[in-house]
Amino acid sequence: MNPAHLHLMLNHIPLVGIGFVVLLLTIALFRRSNELVNISLIFVIFVALWAIPAHQTGESAEELVEGLPGISEQLVEAHDESADIAFIFIEAVGVLALITLVLRRYHAKLGNVLTILTLLGLIVSGGLIAWTANQGGKINHPEIRSDTSMISFPSYKSGEDDHD
C-alpha cells in the first residue's frame, strides 16, 4: 500500500461520516432526543478526528503522484487548496461539537442553539468535503472533469480482437 492508496482509503470515512451524522443529528433534533443528540455530537467529534489523518496523508500522496503521466499539477493544487479549507471547517465543527456536548449539561437553551449551529456547520463542512473529494477525483478520473474532450479511448480496428 502506498501513500496515495492510504490517503484515498482514509478520506472516505469523513465524507460518508458527515452524511451519516447530518442525518442522525437531524433525526435527533426532530425527535427531541437528548441521548441521540449527544451520540450525534460524539460522532461529529469522531469524524473531525478521523479527518486529521485523512488530511495529513495528502502531502505524501501528492509527492507520489507528482510528475506521473496524465496527472495535472493544476488539479492537484486545486484539490490541496480545497482540502485545507474543508479541513479547517470540519475541525472547527468538531471543536464546536465538543463544546456543545459539555454545555448541553449545564445550559439547555445555549446547548440547543449550539447544537443547531453544529448541524449547520456540519452541513457546510460536508459540502466542502464533497467538493474536495470531487476535486481529488478529477486528478485521476478524467471522465468526471468538465472538459472531457481530452479523454482518449482505445480504438479497435475491424477484425482485431473483436470481443462481443
Side-chain angles (χ1 to χ4, degrees):
M1 178 179 341
N2 64 38
H5 188 213
L6 182 61
H7 180 66
L8 289 171
M9 287 180 5
L10 291 173
N11 277 304
H12 285 87
I13 300 297
L15 181 64
V16 174
I18 285 178
F20 169 75
V21 177
V22 165
L23 180 63
L24 187 65
L25 188 52
T26 301
I27 291 168
L29 288 170
F30 276 112
R31 293 184 74 186
R32 299 176 193 252
S33 169
N34 285 328
E35 283 183 348
L36 203 51
V37 167
N38 290 341
I39 290 169
S40 300
L41 292 170
I42 291 168
F43 277 127
V44 172
I45 295 165
F46 283 143
V47 167
L49 289 172
W50 193 275
I52 296 170
H55 185 261
Q56 295 304 315
T57 57
E59 192 65 36
S60 303
E62 180 179 354
E63 290 172 9
L64 184 71
V65 301
E66 282 179 328
L68 290 178
I71 302 297
S72 163
E73 186 176 323
Q74 183 180 11
L75 291 174
V76 172
E77 285 304 313
H79 174 63
D80 186 29
E81 289 173 12
S82 61
D84 289 341
I85 294 167
F87 179 70
I88 290 167
F89 267 81
I90 191 58
E91 293 309 306
V93 172
V95 170
L96 180 59
L98 180 61
I99 292 167
T100 302
L101 192 60
V102 172
L103 284 180
R104 284 175 51 81
R105 302 189 84 185
Y106 303 105
H107 303 284
K109 282 187 176 185
L110 180 59
N112 290 336
V113 170
L114 290 178
T115 300
I116 292 171
L117 286 176
T118 300
L119 177 61
L120 294 175
L122 196 59
I123 292 168
V124 171
S125 295
L128 290 170
I129 287 180
W131 174 254
T132 300
N134 186 37
Q135 296 291 90
K138 290 177 182 178
I139 293 169
N140 207 26
H141 288 284
E143 70 275 10
I144 65 171
R145 297 179 193 160
S146 60
D147 179 18
T148 57
S149 64
M150 300 180 73
I151 300 175
S152 63
F153 293 98
S155 62
Y156 296 98
K157 293 181 183 174
S158 180
E160 290 184 13
D161 292 320
D162 211 4
H163 301 294
D164 289 334

